[in-house]
């Protein structure tokens, strides 16, 4: 099965490369635009998925990613607007994410509040607070993060624009993907994290402090959503507006599950979703089909449902065994 | 050399409403094996959990290597050289053997887990103690016997010189159990001290140096194997005399009730687990299915009871073909099923005893009609099951999760026996329960047989098969290697068949 | 009132008070008066017949939405799809409501409700059936279906079912016929009564019927449910269909009893609030009623609060989050009230999450 | 005049009810609110206050709150409030109503619908874009086709571009999601604007609340690309867009509202429809970019639109 999956993966990769190249030779700018849009739309979803993944791997469901995005975007924006420094803003976003993560941990791990409730508290609270305190007269002032070309790589056709001419948080996200992958599957922390998500009792009996590790992980994971919020306000958009996360925290959750709770899986799922989004814009921009935008707009969602169902048929994935359960010692 | 490896001095542990350990004192010296005996709920697990730092005692002292210690948690105990193999394995199923063994004490290289180093050490340990395992296998793919080796290796990896084993043989075949006992003996020769909990008196007499018997949280006796007998120990545990042999008349087999023809069944991973089994069970007889766990027993039972799809072959009950029928249809044809895994299949922990007592017949009259449940009827039914089957519980409205293992089992047996059944499929019906309850359940099974039911008994417990079955079928690698009459089925002969040796 | 009822009411009550107290701090931080704010909030929600009517109207879809989440929880399923289910229910009920005429009320109104309910059953059932047959996680599928439903209903109301009369330029259907309109009795909308009856019905089904037993068994232990002869897949699929029906009824009642038509963008967010309501109610169908009334009251009074005290209506969201937090973390409330810890009062829903 | 929510009983009160949205939305609610404040400022002792509608079901109630408070003039913003406003006007003949973007089929004496020929504004902006583009690709990132003014802006924009530049390729896209998110999704606006830029567009029209603003800000980050705002002079509402904002296709809601308030106060307001002004915002930093040739073309276009010789939506 493992080998079969790997085989399928390679076939998919080759297919994508071949298709991309042939489309590129047919219409360069449009192909570049679609693929660049794909990669771009994937960043936020990936950051959210990383946040959710670390929580779920530790046995804690996080449905508060949406709220974490929104609150972090708000503070990233506000701090940048006050200090005039994008870096300070980005840091503030991460700090906000960590704080939101800590609040989730305090509720779900410390106070043993039901995890779904804890996440919902974050979502409603963030929407309410950011809307309540948002000051429409503020603006970023310094302009948003702009693309950094990676030397001559950026001049390559197609991949240059798609991968090597990107703003900083996008690059950082790609680095973090690798870091989280290595940490999760190779490091001591990762091994223990996976253990407490699958069988906290077993971890406990070998002396791992389950509650403490969950506390730490859920808090840390918030940092990824926080970076996502910074991305949203400082890199993707360049301002704040009420409810600007627009359900992407939930989409990130879907992407995480779809990507089988692994960093690269999630990235692939996010790219896939980003692709359907970019494709749908492409169809409209270039009047490829003459159908109402409402139908074109369904494309990413319908395709995702179909793919999730098909991949379920191909071999269902399993949730971490202890997911959603409060751990009681003894 | 230390004198006392591990000791409890007047340990008291109180749970809400239960005094689980009451002024308990035990001692373990280097190179010795201490056996803890007692019926379900006597406080054995509680005591060893206290010794391992999982629970904090409410009173008394713990002594490790001549030193009074205050254990803050298992890591404290581990760092002092205590290792424990829990009653319910504490392994992470989707992780590799080697990962499970080093978890919590991982060797590292450049900040990452050094699995190569870990693998080396695991192989080294397993050859040294005769505990062969494949370090890269996923634990979830391993049979229980293997999983237990992993548990023991886990303790040894941490340089334990005290090994606590809570009911380690409960899930093993006789061969595996014997092997384990030999391994434990070998360990004591290196100076390791062992605390050993079991319900099997034979094992205690075979291996222990000291025996401590608990009842209702108190030590009721301390003895040694040369002074003790099986019946004496049993009486000390239960507080009354216990019949260890099952009293039964010769079987009076009637018509064929269960007919299985060339059945093939796959396991969870899609591998062929039951490979063309044909079998008959007649009314009024008990057919025991012996076999090392993982040789297709589970899949066979699940296919017969409708929990699992058979890929080919046929199955009929009372002449009615029911291959791949639903559990409900099969039950409706007079089949009672005591499932192997009571927590997984047999009960719903959050449900009350009353709801559990109708778990697979809530949809029938008199428990419900036209889609409406009749709560009074269900309540009364549960009351009668509880009374008749001696389920110890304050009331039938409490959640089943509050019952002890033995009492959960009695509830299930009571439920399955509360109707006239043509066929009883009993899988591991007495696993993990104490002698008193075993005696009770065995008597009930024979009673069913004598009322004319056909009984298919699957057990990893060879003694149970030999004492109950009228015919013994042996499964090996998914195939039925032989069916013996009880009078020719000796321990040795069945044991060899279980190992796949047919001649 | 017995001691135990008193205790079971004490925690939610204290949670509400604590939420309002913290909310008062926010009001003060904005330079407004909490007393004015809260008194106008209550007046706006209960002050007169109109206010009461609006509170009940707002509570109605919240009850349905809360039930849609709570019912699915019982089978261990997390229905985030209330929004989509509500939308399809609303648009199909409206379509039958305006598209057919000449029918007597006792046929037309039920027909419109059933049309909405069916649409919701299908919408929820898709997620359930996919879960049962392919293992597709219901959380993913219901999230995606929300987006699809939003687009679909927008399109329907802007194209085939658009109100082309007079000066309408908006994406909305024509008004439903009188014979399909849910009436109001004084200050009490009949839709609200329907919601209350539905809540009681859900409770009866879950606690007293064999189907409820099956649903709960699947939620508690799928393996044991299978052992007990319950068709696990069918139960999951049907539970999601029931949940979809419940949410859709909320939408149908909005179209037929409150708005008089379906209009794009009008029912936004209603479906998501069901999650809050279900959680506030601790997934108990009967608890959904007071939870929805509380939230409905706050939402009905929010405009007046802004009008009189100048406090932005988003404050309501913050207070809701706080109340939910205090309800879910009863030890805090108990500690404040010096109450003894209850045994197993802690609510557990998340356990249903990790068992796909 | 008071500039926050909260009714002030007594005195001459002007009430404003927003569509679902906030008075600081940098868009039509904000513009209308500015108009109401200006209108009140010109009347001695008058105060203006607002209620922000949370849910469209509250339209009638929110109007009623002002009626109960004795408001003399009530401004309702957005076509969504059309129905509720007509009902309130019929029930309260003594109160004057101004309905922004609300077309009046039948004139009521106390209700005026403030309408704008958005297509004209879009056409002018498009005409300018057609002249400014070097790649001959102009893009539009729009709210939703479910809202007619957005459609008018878009059609006008495309036709205007073609009018001055027959070679031009117009690439436009509506937000593909529901009405609930169409105006509040700057992330999509930005991503889509980028996709249009990557495809070669060098001037982009952002029309759709926060969604459109996202597009403007994205273009601001692209050296050499231009953007066009909508509704108000977005130079002032979206300062982040300064690097690219060449103009905005304005519908001067604030001026229209203030004007109608003055008429209402003076008792000269006539029921029915009133057409407010549309036009292009100043070019600000891009004054030098717009050549005098372009300016004269724009003037011709404006004249043509005014006398009907140019049809912005043929
Ligand atoms: N965590 C707990 N909370 C409450 N009561 C407990 C807990 N653990 C054990 N008990 C109670 O303490 C008593 C002793 O239980 P213990 O597990 O030590 O029994 P045991 O001798 O190991 O039984 P068995 O043979 O079934 O394993 C029982 O009455 C049990 O119900
Ligand atoms: N939280 C708890 N509250 C009450 N009793 C408990 C609790 N946890 C465990 N117990 C009881 O502790 C005892 C020992 O638990 P354990 O898990 O060892 O089960 P057991 O009785 O040994 O059953 P098994 O046959 O499955 O081994 C049981 O009687 C169980 O009911
Ligand atoms: Mg025990
Ligand atoms: Mg036991």
């Amino acid at each position: 099965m493992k080998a079969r999956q790997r085989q399928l993966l390679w076939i998919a990769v080759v297919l994508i490369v071949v298709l991309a190249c042939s489309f590129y030779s047919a219409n360069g700018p449009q192909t570049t635009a679609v693929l660049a849009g794909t990669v771009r739309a994937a960043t936020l979803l990936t950051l959210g998925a990383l946040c959710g993944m670390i929580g779920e791997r530790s046995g804690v469901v996080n449905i508060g990613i949406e709220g974490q995005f929104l609150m972090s975007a708000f503070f990233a924006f506000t701090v940048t607007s006050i200090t005039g420094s994008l870096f300070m803003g980005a840091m503030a976003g991460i700090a906000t994410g960590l704080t939101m993560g800590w609040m989730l941990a305090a509720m779900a791990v410390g106070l043993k509040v039901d995890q779904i409730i804890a996440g919902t508290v974050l979502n409603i609270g963030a929407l309410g607070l950011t809307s309540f305190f948002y000051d429409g007269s503020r603006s970023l002032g310094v302009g948003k993060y702009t693309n950094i070309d990676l030397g001559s790589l950026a001049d390559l056709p197609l991949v240059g624009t798609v991968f090597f001419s990107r703003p900083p948080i996008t690059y950082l996200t790609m680095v973090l993907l690798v870091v989280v992958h290595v940490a999760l599957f190779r490091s001591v922390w990762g091994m223990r994290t996976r253990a407490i998500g699958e069988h906290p009792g077993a971890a406990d009996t070998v002396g791992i402090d389950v509650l403490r590790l969950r506390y730490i992980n859920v808090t840390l994971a918030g940092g990824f959503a926080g970076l996502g919020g910074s991305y949203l306000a400082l890199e993707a958009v360049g301002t704040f507006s009420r409810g600007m996360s627009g359900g992407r925290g939930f989409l990130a959750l879907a992407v995480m599950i779809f990507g089988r709770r692994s960093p690269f899986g999630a990235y692939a799922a996010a790219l896939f979703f980003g692709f359907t989004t970019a494709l749908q814009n492409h169809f409209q921009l270039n009047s490829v089909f003459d159908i109402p935008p409402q139908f074109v707009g369904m494309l990413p969602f319908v395709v995702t449902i179909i793919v999730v169902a098909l991949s379920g048929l191909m071999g269902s994935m399993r949730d971490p065994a202890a997911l959603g359960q409060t751990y009681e010692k003894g | 050399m230390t004198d006392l490896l591990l000791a409890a001095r007047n340990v008291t542990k109180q749970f809400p409403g239960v005094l689980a350990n009451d002024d308990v004192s035990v001692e373990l010296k280097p190179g010795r094996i201490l056996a803890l005996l007692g019926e379900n709920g006597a406080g054995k697990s509680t005591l060893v959990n206290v010794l391992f730092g999982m629970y904090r005692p409410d009173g008394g002292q713990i002594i490790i290597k001549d030193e009074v210690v205050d254990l803050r948690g298992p890591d404290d105990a581990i760092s002092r050289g205590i290792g424990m193999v829990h009653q319910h394995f504490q392994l992470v199923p989707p992780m590799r053997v080697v990962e499970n063994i080093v978890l919590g004490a991982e060797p590292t290289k450049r900040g990452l887990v050094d699995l190569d180093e870990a693998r080396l050490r695991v192989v080294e340990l397993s050859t040294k103690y005769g505990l062969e395992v494949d370090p890269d296998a996923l634990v979830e793919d391993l049979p229980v016997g293997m999983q237990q080796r992993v548990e023991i290796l886990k303790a040894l990896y941490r340089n334990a010189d005290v090994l606590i084993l809570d009911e380690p043989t409960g899930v093993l075949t006789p061969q595996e159990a014997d092997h384990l006992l030999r391994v434990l003996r070998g360990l004591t020769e290196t100076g390791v001290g062992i605390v050993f909990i079991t319900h099997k008196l034979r094992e205690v007499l075979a291996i222990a140096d000291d025996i401590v018997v608990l009842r209702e949280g108190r030590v009721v006796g301390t003895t040694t194997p040369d002074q003790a007998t099986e019946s004496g120990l049993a009486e000390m545990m239960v507080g009354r005399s216990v019949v260890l042999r099952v009293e039964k008349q010769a079987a009076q087999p009637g018509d064929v009730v269960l007919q299985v023809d060339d059945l093939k069944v796959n396991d969870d991973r899609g591998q062929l687990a039951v490979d063309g089994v044909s079998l008959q069970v007649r009314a009024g007889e008990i057919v025991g299915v012996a076999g090392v766990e993982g040789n297709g027993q589970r899949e066979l039972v699940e296919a017969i009871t409708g929990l699992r799809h058979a890929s080919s072959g046929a199955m009929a009950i009372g002449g009615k073909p029911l291959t791949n029928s639903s559990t409900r249809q099969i039950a409706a044809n007079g089949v009672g099923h005591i499932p192997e895994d009571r927590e997984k299949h047999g009960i719903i922990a959050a449900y009350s005893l009353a709801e559990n007592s109708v778990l697979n017949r809530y949809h029938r009259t008199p428990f419900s009609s036209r889609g409406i449940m009749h709560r009074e009827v269900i309540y009364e039914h549960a009351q009668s099951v509880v009374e008749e089957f001696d389920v110890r519980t304050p009331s039938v409205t409490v959640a089943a999760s509050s019952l002890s293992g033995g009492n959960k089992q009695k509830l299930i047996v009571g439920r399955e026996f509360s109707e006239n059944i043509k066929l009883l499929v009993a899988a591991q019906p007495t696993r993990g329960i104490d002698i008193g309850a075993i005696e009770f359940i065995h008597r009930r099974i024979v009673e069913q047989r004598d009322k004319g039911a056909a009984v298919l008994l699957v057990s990893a417990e060879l003694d149970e098969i030999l004492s109950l079955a009228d015919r013994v079928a042996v499964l090996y690698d998914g195939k039925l290697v032989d069916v013996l009459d009880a009078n020719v089925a000796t321990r040795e002969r069945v044991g060899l068949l279980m190992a796949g040796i047919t001649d | 009132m017995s001691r135990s009822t008193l205790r079971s009411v004490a925690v939610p009550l204290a949670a509400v008070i604590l939420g309002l107290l913290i909310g008062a701090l926010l009001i003060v931080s904005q330079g407004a008066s909490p007393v004015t704010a809260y008194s106008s909030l209550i007046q706006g929600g209960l002050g007169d017949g109109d206010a009461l009517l609006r509170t009940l109207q707002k509570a109605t879809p919240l009850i349905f939405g809360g039930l849609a989440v709570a019912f699915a929880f019982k089978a261990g399923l997390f229905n985030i799809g209330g929004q989509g289910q509500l939308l399809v229910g609303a648009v199909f009920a409206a379509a039958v409501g305006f598209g057919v005429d000449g029918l007597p009320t006792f046929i037309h109104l039920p027909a419109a409700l059933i049309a909405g309910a069916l649409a919701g059953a299908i919408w929820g059932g898709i997620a359930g059936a996919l879960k049962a047959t392919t293992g597709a996680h219901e959380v993913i599928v219901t999230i995606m279906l929300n987006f699809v439903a939003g687009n679909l209903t927008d399109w329907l109301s802007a194209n085939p079912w658009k109100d082309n009369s007079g000066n309408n330029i908006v994406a909305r259907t024509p008004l439903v016929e009188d014979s399909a309109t849910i009436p109001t009795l004084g200050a009490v909308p009949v839709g609200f009564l329907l919601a209350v009856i539905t809540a009681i019905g859900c409770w009866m089904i879950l606690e007293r019927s064999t189907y409820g037993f099956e649903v709960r068994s699947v939620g508690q232990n799928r393996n044991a449910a299978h052992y007990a002869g319950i068709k696990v897949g069918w139960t999951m699929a049907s539970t999601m269909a029931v949940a979809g029906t419940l949410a859709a009824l909320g939408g149908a009642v909005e179209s037929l009893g409150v708005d008089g038509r379906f209009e794009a963008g009008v029912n936004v967010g209603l479906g998501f609030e069901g999650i809050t309501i279900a959680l506030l109610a601790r997934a108990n169908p009967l608890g959904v009623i007071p939870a929805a009334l509380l939230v409905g009251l706050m939402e009905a009074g929010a405009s007046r609060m802004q009008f009189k005290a100048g406090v932005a209506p988003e404050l309501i969201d913050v207070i809701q989050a706080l109340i939910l937090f205090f309800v879910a973390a009863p030890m805090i409330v108990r500690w404040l009230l010096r109450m003894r810890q209850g045994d197993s009062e802690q609510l557990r829903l998340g356990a249903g999450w990790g068992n796909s | 005049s008071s500039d926050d929510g909260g009714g002030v009983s007594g005195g001459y009160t002007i009430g404003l009810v927003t569509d679902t949205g906030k008075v600081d939305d940098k868009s039509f609610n904000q513009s209308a609110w500015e108009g109401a404040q200006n209108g009140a400022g010109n009347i001695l002792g008058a105060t203006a206050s607002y209620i922000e509608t949370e849910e469209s079901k509250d339209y009638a109630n929110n109007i009623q709150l002002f009626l109960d408070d004795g408001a003399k003039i009530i401004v309702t913003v957005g076509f969504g409030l059309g129905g509720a406003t007509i009902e309130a006007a019929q029930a309260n003949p003594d109160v004057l109503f101004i309905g922004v973007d609300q077309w009046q089929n039948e004139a009521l004496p106390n209700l005026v619908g403030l309408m704008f020929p958005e297509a004209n504004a879009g056409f002018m902006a498009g005409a300018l874009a057609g002249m400014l583009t070097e790649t001959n690709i102009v893009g539009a990132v729009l709210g939703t086709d479910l809202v007619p003014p957005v459609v008018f802006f878009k059609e006008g924009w495309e036709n205007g571009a073609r009018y001055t530049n027959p070679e031009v390729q117009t690439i436009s896209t509506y937000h593909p999601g529901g009405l609930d998110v169409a105006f509040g999704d700057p992330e999509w606006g930005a991503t889509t604007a980028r996709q249009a830029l990557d495809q070669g567009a060098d001037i982009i029209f952002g029309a759709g609340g926060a969604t459109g603003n996202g597009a403007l800000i994205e273009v601001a980050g692209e050296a050499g690309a231009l953007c066009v705002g909508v509704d108000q002079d977005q130079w002032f509402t979206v300062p982040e867009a300064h690097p690219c904002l060449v103009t905005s296709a304005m519908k001067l809601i604030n001026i229209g509202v203030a004007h109608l308030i003055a008429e209402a106060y003076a008792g000269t307001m006539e029921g029915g429809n009133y057409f407010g002004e549309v036009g292009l915002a100043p070019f600000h930093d891009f004054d030098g970019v717009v050549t005098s040739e372009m300016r004269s073309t724009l003037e011709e276009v404006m004249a043509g639109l005014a006398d009907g010789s140019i049809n912005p939506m043929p």
Side-chain angles (χ1 to χ4, degrees), chain C residues 9 15 26 35 55 67 70 104 120 122 124 158 166 168 175 197 218 249 301 313 315:
Chain C
V9 174
L26 289 177
V35 177
T55 294
L67 290 174
I122 293 170
N168 177 53
L175 282 172
I197 292 168
V218 169
L249 278 174
L315 180 75

Side-chain angles (χ1 to χ4, degrees), chain B residues 15-250:
Chain B
F15 287 119
V18 191
L19 194 52
N21 283 165
D22 183 3
D23 199 25
V24 174
S25 299
V26 293
E27 288 188 353
L28 176 69
K29 299 208 168 89
R32 290 183 76 85
I33 297 182
L34 167 66
L36 289 181
L37 278 179
E39 58 182 333
N40 294 118
K44 308 178 294 288
S45 298
T46 305
L47 177 63
V48 291
N49 278 328
V50 166
L51 290 173
F52 190 57
M54 296 281 287
Y55 295 152
R56 282 177 86 84
D58 299 316
Q61 289 177 331
I62 298 165
I63 292 158
I64 297 178
K65 292 169 195 155
D66 299 328
E67 195 187 325
V68 176
V69 293
D70 177 22
L71 298 176
R72 280 161 206 289
D75 39 339
D76 246 9
I78 292 168
S79 68
R80 291 171 198 275
I82 316 270
M84 179 157 169
V85 177
H86 293 262
Q87 187 171 355
H88 305 288
F89 291 154
Q90 300 294 328
L91 297 171
V92 186
M95 283 169 60
R96 291 166 201 281
V97 166
V98 54
E99 290 176 309
N100 266 285
I101 291 174
V102 302
L103 183 66
E106 305 85 352
T108 57
K109 195 161 107 189
R110 277 182 266 118
L112 299 179
V113 179
D114 188 352
L115 275 187
D116 295 331
E117 165 73 17
R119 214 174 274 122
L120 282 179
R121 296 205 33 209
V122 168
V123 171
E124 189 185 310
L125 277 175
S126 61
T127 37
K128 180 169 164 196
Y129 294 105
L131 293 163
E132 271 80 25
V133 289
D134 170 9
D136 287 306
L138 295 181
V139 164
E140 63 192 356
D141 292 344
L142 296 180
V144 271
M146 277 295 178
Q147 296 193 4
Q148 184 165 55
R149 289 186 188 183
V150 178
E151 281 280 24
I152 296 172
L153 285 170
K154 227 165 104 179
L156 295 174
Y157 173 83
R158 288 166 173 74
N159 300 318
D161 42 22
V162 175
L163 202 54
I164 300 171
L165 299 114
D166 193 350
E167 290 188 37
T169 56
V171 292
L172 300 185
T173 59
Q175 283 82 359
E176 283 177 315
D178 288 345
H179 179 79
L180 176 69
L181 297 187
R182 277 198 303 280
V183 168
L184 295 183
R185 235 330 132 207
L187 280 172
T188 58
E189 274 149 28
T190 63
V192 172
I194 292 172
V195 182
F196 187 80
I197 299 177
T198 184
H199 290 295
K200 296 177 193 167
L201 304 178
R202 201 170 50 80
E203 292 170 358
V204 174
L205 294 177
I207 195 177
D209 297 306
D210 306 289
I211 302 171
V212 171
V213 180
L214 294 177
R215 190 164 74 229
E216 289 174 359
R218 274 187 299 274
V219 175
V220 292
T222 308
T223 176
T224 56
D226 28 310
Q227 287 165 3
T229 60
E230 287 202 19
S231 57
L233 286 174
E235 195 170 333
M236 210 190 286
M237 280 167 61
V238 184
R240 64 181 165 86
S241 68
V242 180
V243 188
L244 290 174
R245 290 232 31 105
V246 184
E247 311 259 348
K248 64 177 174 85
Q249 312 295 316

Side-chain angles (χ1 to χ4, degrees), chain C residues 58 154 254 267 303 306-307, chain D residues 6-7 52 57-58 62 176 179:
Chain C
K58 296 218 180 245
D154 278 1
E254 288 300 284
N267 294 304
S303 302
Q306 177 171 46
F307 179 64
Chain D
E52 292 169 331
K57 309 196 170 175
D58 295 331
N62 291 349
L179 191 54

